[in-house]
Amino acid sequence: MEGQQDEQNKSRIVKIDSVESWDYYVSRANSQGSPIVVHFTASWCMPSVAMNPVFEELASSYSDVLFLTVDVDDVKDVASKMEVKAMPTFLLTREGAVVDKLVGANPEEIKKRIDGFVQSIRVFVA
């Protein structure tokens, strides 16, 4: 149990477990001008599970971005609201608007898109 807690603390990814936690983190990030990357996943979907370490690595690379993970079976309402129909789906949002959406387990493409997304925001802010 103690080892799990340490691992949990190291992760920069917030696991969304309810509509309320979704609303809280999204509105907080929007009010702070923080971009958000969301990984919609499912425990039974092997491509989604395979993307977890990639998502973790990206989260540790971009400290100015909020990384959220949503299990579509646990929080169906959020998946439905965001029109997620397949897993894995990655959404890149800023100020409440979806800027980009990638469906499928493509580590190189998601890295490229997040990098481009973050660079455009840094230029915009600077």
Side-chain angles (χ1 to χ4, degrees):
M1 193 69 158
E2 201 173 300
Q4 258 185 336
Q5 190 60 40
D6 287 347
E7 200 172 299
Q8 196 73 21
N9 290 342
K10 281 186 216 153
S11 177
R12 288 206 58 256
I13 299 171
V14 177
K15 183 175 183 353
I16 298 301
D17 56 8
S18 67
V19 173
E20 292 76 21
S21 67
W22 169 264
D23 290 343
Y24 171 78
Y25 283 104
V26 169
S27 68
R28 195 174 85 175
N30 289 341
S31 71
Q32 294 171 349
S34 175
I36 306 169
V37 178
V38 189
H39 176 198
F40 287 91
T41 184
S43 58
W44 48 264
C45 176
M46 286 307 111
S48 276
V49 173
M51 287 299 289
N52 287 340
V54 174
F55 199 60
E56 193 71 57
E57 178 189 322
L58 289 164
S60 44
S61 301
Y62 299 101
S63 58
D64 50 346
V65 177
L66 175 62
F67 283 78
L68 304 176
T69 185
V70 178
D71 186 309
V72 295
D73 293 323
D74 293 344
V75 200
K76 287 183 178 80
D77 291 345
V78 171
S80 166
K81 175 180 168 185
M82 300 310 292
E83 299 178 5
V84 172
K85 307 209 183 327
M87 274 61 68
T89 293
F90 297 90
L91 292 183
L92 286 63
T93 72
R94 182 152 200 270
E95 295 171 355
V98 174
V99 177
D100 199 0
K101 179 177 186 174
L102 177 67
V103 179
N106 184 334
E108 289 312 308
E109 186 63 23
I110 192 65
K111 285 177 186 176
K112 191 168 87 182
R113 296 227 197 149
I114 290 174
D115 191 54
F117 175 58
V118 170
Q119 295 307 325
S120 72
I121 289 165
R122 288 179 178 156
V123 167
F124 181 73
V125 170

